[in-house]
Each structure stands twice: as structure tokens, then as C-alpha cells.
Amino acid sequence: MKLVPFRRKKLKRVIVVAALLAFFVWLSHLVIARPLAFSRFIYPIEASLSELTGSCSTGSPAWMDKVVADVRRNGGGLANQVAYVSPNGTLHHCENGWQKAPFFSDKVRPETRFRYASTTKLFTADAILGLVDEGRLSFESRLLEFLPPVRELKDERIADITIQDLLNHTSGFNRTIGMPDMLQLNKTPWCPGSLKRISERTLEHEPGTQPAYSNLGYCLLGVVIEQTTGVGYREYIKERYAIGEHGIRFIDGPYLDDEVRYDFRHSNFLSDDYYRYWDFAALSSSAGLSGNAVALARQVRGMLVSRPLNVTSYDYQSDKCSPTNIRGCYGYAAYQYQPEDGPFPVYIQGGHLPGASSMVMMDDRGGVLVWLGAGQPPNGFESKKMLYQRFYNRLADFYSDKE
């Protein structure tokens, strides 16, 4: 028996109402029982709406809008800054998102503060290179020359660690095995406060043979700077780079008043109170600075043109590594990257803290690209690799069009 039109309409209404009811029940369960999953679910919608907040400085090249779109969609945070200094020294910048609560706070501005995370290492490496240029330090200098004397080493190979090994992450300290020395929760790292404890450490490989990214190595470089100059690390960086004049500050854990609010929806372990568990004084030389993208781009540009030896002047050809692999060829605080069909190499230092991402990309023509984001890519380093590849392609297309 066929349904009359009235019954058909009534049945359709029942089905629609039941579907809507089921959807709202599921959504309510998601919000209450799995708030993190819900926030990840709605991120694409929020990211699309944050496009309305985007702006770029006058005269910025069109490819920078595309970079902002890349990080808005795939960077894991609704607030971002991108700055670019061209080879001739012209500065451009773009911003998107909100400083605090989405939709209910002011838009991100060029001066909004973000945490630099590991891009801080560029300052530490450049300061070391400056001391080498001045003849006050050598790449071959042994680490133990700058530490309190110890009677006996558990691992005698530690005596072979050089300044260059620390710079290019080949010291033998491996953060990928066990809990990293610098990031143990509620524990004070032995560097820089208890340096004699280096005698208790063991290395994962011979110094100078294998790269293994290490915050500890850069903490020790901070100690080398202090011992060479007789000035505390923070004071030396403040004076050498006049960072205060550019709004750059060291952080001690708690968020500063002018700092962006970070997005932790893609942080699987730590949340917005993570700073309570880490020693930010110890992290000063590896992840301690904060500021904006414009200031960071200007500082790095200054590093590249101030003297012959800089963070990109490492002889990458001497290493048996592949620049086609992101994070495959470490140099002086930056690794070289060049795809197989890429027209030129770039030098990258990335960084992350819970809820925050950063990157500096320097090209062989003198250009500097900086990204600061208040979030983490959803798939960790794999997502960052994809973003870096897109950044590279944007730069390559831009330079190709200008030739």
C-alpha cells in the first residue's frame, strides 16, 4: 500500500528530527566527555573564520598571504605572525587571529608577543660564532675547559666534546632516549646549576659522529658564553643584541601581559600550566626568548650580514648527510634543506613549546622568513615538515618570478 503525501511528509519530518536529535546528543557527549576531541573537530571551522582577521603590511608580496593560509589551516593555532626580510633588506609582515579568546579579543598585531622556543638557539649560536670571530674561542675548544673540574668521568668520551659538536648537535647527548635532561617535570636540570654532574652522564655515541638534537648541548653553550665573557648569559644576550629595544624578553615561565593566548588542543600531554613544571632559567640559552616575528626577522637578518662567520656558513658539504631530508644536515644552529628539484638551499631552525610553534628559514640569497604560531600542528613534526616544504615552494616560486 502506497503512503499518501501527508504521511510521506510526516515520515520525512520524523527522520529529520531524529537525525538532528542524534547529532546533538552525539555533539553534547563529545563536548562533555571528550572536550579535546571536540575542539579538534571544530578547528577547521574556527580557522576559516580567523581568515577574517588577517592583514599584511603595505606592499607585502602575494605569496605571504598563501603562507598565512598554510599556517592557519595546518599550523594548529588560530593566531599567527609571519615576517619576511627580502635579500635587499625590505621587511614585510602578516598576522592573523586573535590575541586572547577567539572572537572576543583584539586581533593579533605586529607587536603581539609569542614564545620563540628553540629559535632562541640562533642567538646562542651567533654569540658563540662572534666569540670565535673575535679569537676568544675555537671550534676545537673542549667543553670540559669551561666546566668545574671533575675527578673522574663515567664516560671518558665526554672529554672529547668540542664547541662545534655542541653547535651542530653531535655531542653524543641524545634527547630521544629516555626523558630529556632539560625537560624533566618538576626536576631542576643539572645544567647549568650542577655542572659537576656531567661526570655521571653517558653518551649515546662518539662525539662528532651522529646528529641528535639536544637542548642540553645549547644549555652548555650558554655556560661556555658565561665562562668566556665573564657575564651571565641573559645579560650578555641583552647587551649584545639590544633585545630590549625590539621588545624581545626572556621568559621565566608565567605568561606575560602582552603575550598571545596559546592553543593546546593538539598538545597530547601538557596544557596551559606546563610552565609550572619546567625550569625556564635553565632553558634560557635553548628556548628562553619571546617577542614578535618582525623583531626576530630583523635580528636574524642582522646576524647574517654582520660578519663573515654566521649560522649559515657551516661547510655542509663536509658531512655525509642528505639536505633533501628535513632535519638531516645540522650546521651552526640551523640545518640545510634543499629538495631534489629545489633551485637553492635554505637553512632552518624550528621550535616548539606546548601550545606554540616557531620557525626561521634563511635562504642562500640573504632572505629571512619567520613564522610564530600560537598552536601546534595536529600531527607533530610530520605536519611541520609539510609546512616547511610549502614555505620553501612559496619562496622558490617567488624568486623564480623575479628572475
Side-chain angles (χ1 to χ4, degrees), residues 5 14 49 72 96 108 120 149 174 200 233 255 267 280 295 298 326 334 342 344 348 381-382 384 389:
V14 170
L49 292 173
R72 186 178 66 245
N96 88 284
V108 171
T120 299
N174 192 341
E200 306 167 8
Y233 174 81
Y255 307 109
S267 298
F280 276 84
R298 283 176 170 158
I326 290 180
F344 55 85
I348 302 172
F381 187 62
E382 289 304 311
K384 277 197 172 182
Q389 290 164 353

Side-chain angles (χ1 to χ4, degrees), residues 118-309:
S118 284
T119 54
T120 299
K121 291 181 174 67
L122 292 170
F123 290 81
T124 303
D126 186 72
I128 289 286
L129 296 176
L131 295 172
V132 172
D133 272 330
E134 296 165 10
R136 303 171 68 183
L137 198 61
S138 165
F139 288 129
E140 290 73 37
S141 298
R142 302 297 172 120
L143 168 64
L144 290 186
E145 298 174 19
F146 305 91
L147 304 186
V150 294
R151 292 184 178 180
E152 185 177 357
L153 293 170
K154 183 177 180 179
D155 189 334
E156 294 183 356
R157 296 176 297 177
I158 289 175
D160 298 326
I161 297 174
T162 66
I163 299 303
Q164 180 160 305
D165 295 335
L166 295 171
L167 282 170
N168 60 19
H169 301 284
T170 60
S171 64
F173 296 115
N174 192 341
R175 79 166 191 171
T176 62
I177 298 177
M179 179 64 74
D181 285 290
M182 302 301 297
L183 301 177
Q184 296 187 59
L185 302 183
N186 285 326
K187 289 187 178 180
T188 301
W190 61 265
C191 177
S194 303
L195 293 169
K196 286 189 175 183
R197 287 177 56 192
I198 195 171
S199 64
E200 306 167 8
R201 305 299 301 163
T202 57
L203 302 181
E204 301 298 334
H205 55 260
E206 294 285 341
T209 60
Q210 300 178 42
Y213 192 86
S214 174
N215 286 310
L216 173 59
Y218 271 73
C219 176
L220 292 168
L221 285 173
V223 173
V224 171
I225 290 171
E226 292 184 342
Q227 293 300 311
T228 303
T229 65
V231 180
Y233 174 81
R234 287 191 175 191
E235 289 68 29
Y236 186 77
I237 297 300
K238 288 176 183 178
E239 182 177 349
R240 185 178 187 97
Y241 299 96
I243 60 175
E245 298 176 11
H246 305 282
I248 300 175
R249 291 178 56 182
F250 283 98
I251 51 177
D252 290 307
Y255 307 109
L256 300 173
D257 291 340
D258 61 347
E259 196 168 348
V260 73
R261 180 180 294 177
Y262 300 99
D263 192 328
F264 294 87
R265 78 182 80 200
H266 296 118
S267 298
N268 294 319
F269 181 50
L270 296 172
S271 60
D272 59 356
D273 65 345
Y274 78 94
Y275 65 85
R276 301 176 185 273
Y277 311 111
W278 288 357
D279 186 334
F280 276 84
L283 289 170
S284 294
S285 56
S286 58
L289 288 171
S290 69
N292 58 67
V294 167
L296 182 54
R298 283 176 170 158
Q299 288 282 352
V300 174
R301 169 69 175 180
M303 295 175 188
L304 297 182
V305 300
S306 63
R307 57 179 179 271
L309 193 60

